[in-house]
Amino acid sequence: MNISFDVNQMTATKVEHIGGINRVAGQNKVAEAGEVSGRKGAFETYLLDAVSKMNEQQVQVSSLQKQIVTDPDSVDIHDVTIAMAKAQSSMSLAKTVIDRIVSGWTELSQNR
């Protein structure tokens, strides 16, 4: 079964889905694949930033835990508890996102 379509007839509801059109100084230029709002690799950048922030939260919790053991009067236990909850939440979210990406990739590769 062969499916053919004309790319010029396709319309996008969101620019981020297929690139879209950049309007600069009256020019209509179709964005390249992976370019969103003038930035190449936006998904990669977003993903790396999210992982970096999650890592910072884990490091912060680790340092707070060490500090509460060595000098309990300098740290409020509530700050440690809140930091641990944030770190746990971000770790859980990261695990869920990674699982969804892997399952989506598996589905895509099986459909080819």
Side-chain angles (χ1 to χ4, degrees), residues 17-80:
H17 288 173
I18 61 169
I21 297 175
N22 290 334
R23 288 175 172 67
V24 178
Q27 299 176 357
N28 291 338
K29 176 186 157 199
V30 176
E32 297 177 14
E35 182 179 345
V36 178
S37 303
R39 297 182 324 234
K40 288 191 177 191
F43 180 73
E44 176 185 3
T45 304
Y46 177 75
L47 194 60
L48 289 174
D49 288 345
V51 170
S52 175
K53 185 169 179 154
M54 182 192 66
N55 186 43
E56 288 173 13
Q57 289 177 344
Q58 299 294 329
V59 169
Q60 181 187 14
V61 166
S62 179
S63 69
L64 283 174
Q65 287 174 337
K66 288 177 186 176
Q67 190 175 356
I68 202 160
V69 169
T70 58
D71 189 15
D73 294 333
S74 69
V75 180
D76 186 15
I77 188 67
H78 297 100
D79 292 338
V80 177

Side-chain angles (χ1 to χ4, degrees), residues 11-22:
T11 58
T13 56
K14 288 189 175 183
V15 176
E16 293 86 11
H17 288 173
I18 61 169
I21 297 175
N22 290 334

Side-chain angles (χ1 to χ4, degrees), residues 83-99:
M84 289 175 66
K86 283 182 181 179
Q88 174 62 33
S89 177
S90 66
M91 182 68 81
S92 176
L93 179 63
K95 183 181 180 317
T96 302
V97 167
I98 290 170
D99 288 344

